[in-house]
Amino acid sequence: MAFTAYQTFLAVVMVVTGSLNTLATKWADRSHSPGRDGVDREFNHPYVQALGMFLGELSCLLGFKILYVYYTRKDYTEDQLPPSISGNRNFRRSVFALPALCDLLATSTMYVGLNLTYASSFQMLRGSLIIFTAIMSVVFLKRKLKPYEYLGIAFVISGLTIVGVSDMLSSGTSTKNTDHIIIGDVLIILAQIVTAAQMVLEEKFVNSQRVSPLQVVGWEGFFGFTTMAVLLVPMYFIKVGNGVFNNPEGQIEDAIDAWYQIKNNWQVACGFSGTIISIAFFNFAGVSVTKQISATTRTVLDSIRTIVIKIAGVALGWEKVDGIQLGGFALLLIGMFLYNDVLIRPAYLKLRGQRNRTNYEESDKNNEENREYTEPIMQ
């Protein structure tokens, strides 16, 4: 079935803004700027970046309110409201709190990992989400996996292994520390466990509420933003050294230093702003694609986003073309498509059906010819 103009728009927005989000975050990470102590260093503030991400999500609530007021003043009925704001408005806001906390933990952990590894690896390793989502779906939602889903998981595991090996091998030819790359990759994979928990929670408690996409993103942003804003205070006083983080006094996070770096370098400011703006549109588009088209379409679009990020990383000189990594990505892609029953299995079933139909027709034709040959001539 062909996409409508609105669905095509959502798909394009998801791919473009999703790619920009990762690239903008990595751009900020790679940029140098003087901090509050006057020392010029890379922008290494994953928790402030997570705060910015939640601010972007929170802005969706403002967008919802503006659109809702606009359409209701024009006397639109509930059925006439656009898909972005239509839906249940009498729901418990608290159901978004737990998924938002999972999102907070996963996102901040992934941003730490992104700071340590490559942008394309970051995106590819997020494919491990399939493994943990499957496990939690079986354990908590009592689902039974189909054989092709197990096969998909096997491909994903193989692909992840190859991508990880590729990162370790390529570390010898890059300026990145091998230990940091490994830590970054592991953190990204661990974050997917939390993201899988978030998805299970959303499926169990949130999806049944039938809330509009803008409100889903907005309320998760609200709970995530307020929680992270509070956590930044104790993080400023907890000192862990500069093994992974690079704050003036070795804190877990130094929001004041982050502000100075954003203020002192337009590249950091643009990268940070790009993260905030792009995440709002990306999450809205992602939720809308799932609601308007299907979750499998969202998987395909996410795969396209990974390709875009890899191409952009190479074009910008951040990464090099790596045949081993591309091989791992190919296995990841096959695994994701198999698990979500996209393209590969449907194409196989269609081809097999056509062959069976052809064989049946040929058999029918042969039987007919045999009947004509053996049928006695009536005198």
Side-chain angles (χ1 to χ4, degrees):
M1 185 179 68
F3 285 3
T4 64
Y6 180 65
Q7 289 172 337
T8 303
F9 169 74
L10 288 175
V12 172
V13 169
M14 180 181 166
V15 172
V16 172
T17 57
S19 303
L20 286 175
N21 180 256
T22 300
L23 293 170
T25 305
K26 192 62 182 177
W27 183 25
D29 290 344
R30 292 174 59 89
S31 300
H32 286 72
S33 178
R36 64 185 176 91
D37 56 355
V39 177
D40 189 76
R41 56 179 167 270
E42 286 187 343
F43 185 78
N44 186 348
H45 295 283
Y47 297 103
V48 170
Q49 286 175 313
L51 182 74
M53 186 207 74
F54 285 118
L55 177 61
E57 292 184 357
L58 177 58
S59 67
C60 287
L61 278 183
L62 178 62
F64 169 81
K65 195 66 178 176
I66 292 171
L67 288 173
Y68 184 73
V69 170
Y70 172 78
Y71 283 107
T72 51
R73 284 186 176 178
K74 283 183 168 288
D75 296 325
Y76 275 57
T77 63
E78 184 65 33
D79 294 336
Q80 293 175 319
L81 292 175
S84 57
I85 60 173
S86 62
N88 179 25
R89 285 183 295 281
N90 298 314
F91 58 91
R92 289 185 298 113
R93 274 63 176 170
S94 59
V95 299
F96 293 99
L98 199 52
L101 292 178
C102 290
D103 194 11
L104 182 151
L105 180 58
T107 300
S108 53
T109 303
M110 282 191 287
Y111 278 165
V112 174
L114 176 59
N115 198 278
L116 299 172
T117 190
Y118 305 101
S120 61
S121 298
F122 166 80
Q123 191 61 35
M124 291 179 194
L125 292 171
R126 292 179 69 179
S128 60
L129 175 63
I130 285 175
I131 302 168
F132 303 117
T133 303
I135 293 171
M136 291 189 182
S137 295
V138 169
V139 174
F140 298 108
L141 300 179
K142 307 303 178 185
R143 282 188 179 162
K144 290 186 178 179
L145 296 181
K146 299 177 178 64
Y148 65 82
E149 290 176 319
Y150 281 111
L151 183 61
I153 290 172
F155 270 97
V156 168
I157 292 172
S158 302
L160 289 172
T161 303
I162 292 173
V163 170
V165 170
S166 167
D167 281 353
M168 285 188 283
L169 293 175
S170 63
S171 63
T173 59
S174 74
T175 57
K176 286 184 174 292
N177 183 292
T178 304
D179 292 339
H180 282 185
I181 291 174
I182 295 171
I183 292 170
D185 288 353
V186 170
L187 286 174
I188 292 165
I189 293 174
L190 290 176
Q192 304 318 303
I193 300 175
V194 185
T195 303
Q198 176 191 346
M199 294 180 72
V200 170
L201 286 168
E202 286 178 342
E203 184 164 343
K204 196 170 182 66
F205 300 111
V206 177
N207 292 355
S208 60
Q209 302 286 327
R210 290 180 294 178
V211 183
S212 70
L214 280 174
Q215 289 207 88
V216 170
V217 177
W219 280 107
E220 287 196 4
F222 170 79
F223 286 108
F225 180 82
T226 51
T227 305
M228 180 55 79
V230 171
L231 289 176
L232 285 177
V233 176
M235 283 181 177
Y236 179 82
F237 296 99
I238 300 174
K239 298 182 180 181
V240 293
N242 289 324
V244 174
F245 306 104
N246 192 24
N247 292 305
E249 298 172 13
Q251 304 101 319
I252 293 179
E253 185 57 284
D254 187 339
I256 300 172
D257 184 67
W259 166 249
Y260 272 91
Q261 287 194 283
I262 293 169
K263 181 171 65 75
N264 290 335
N265 188 324
W266 67 270
Q267 291 182 331
V268 176
C270 287
F272 185 70
S273 301
T275 300
I276 295 172
I277 297 168
S278 61
I279 198 66
F281 286 98
F282 171 66
N283 279 349
F284 160 70
V287 173
S288 298
V289 164
T290 302
K291 187 176 180 180
Q292 289 286 314
I293 311 173
S294 68
T296 53
T297 301
R298 187 173 181 176
T299 301
V300 175
L301 295 175
D302 221 31
S303 302
I304 295 172
R305 184 163 70 104
T306 305
I307 297 170
V308 172
I309 291 168
K310 179 63 180 178
I311 293 171
V314 172
L316 292 168
W318 296 353
E319 304 177 24
K320 295 180 180 179
V321 177
D322 186 339
I324 298 176
Q325 189 190 56
L326 292 177
F329 174 60
L331 290 177
L332 273 171
L333 206 59
I334 293 170
M336 286 188 285
F337 282 6
L338 281 171
Y339 182 84
N340 290 286
D341 202 17
V342 178
L343 295 179
I344 298 174
R345 183 171 171 271
Y348 166 73
L349 292 176
K350 185 177 180 180
L351 181 63
R352 192 175 70 174
Q354 288 175 344
R355 284 180 177 174
N356 290 341
R357 192 159 50 249
T358 302
N359 292 338
Y360 178 78
E361 289 172 355
E362 287 179 354
S363 175
D364 235 19
K365 185 178 179 181
N366 291 335
N367 290 337
E368 185 66 30
E369 288 174 352
N370 289 336
R371 278 198 299 273
E372 289 177 0
Y373 179 76
T374 57
E375 188 174 331
I377 299 174
M378 300 298 293
Q379 297 291 338

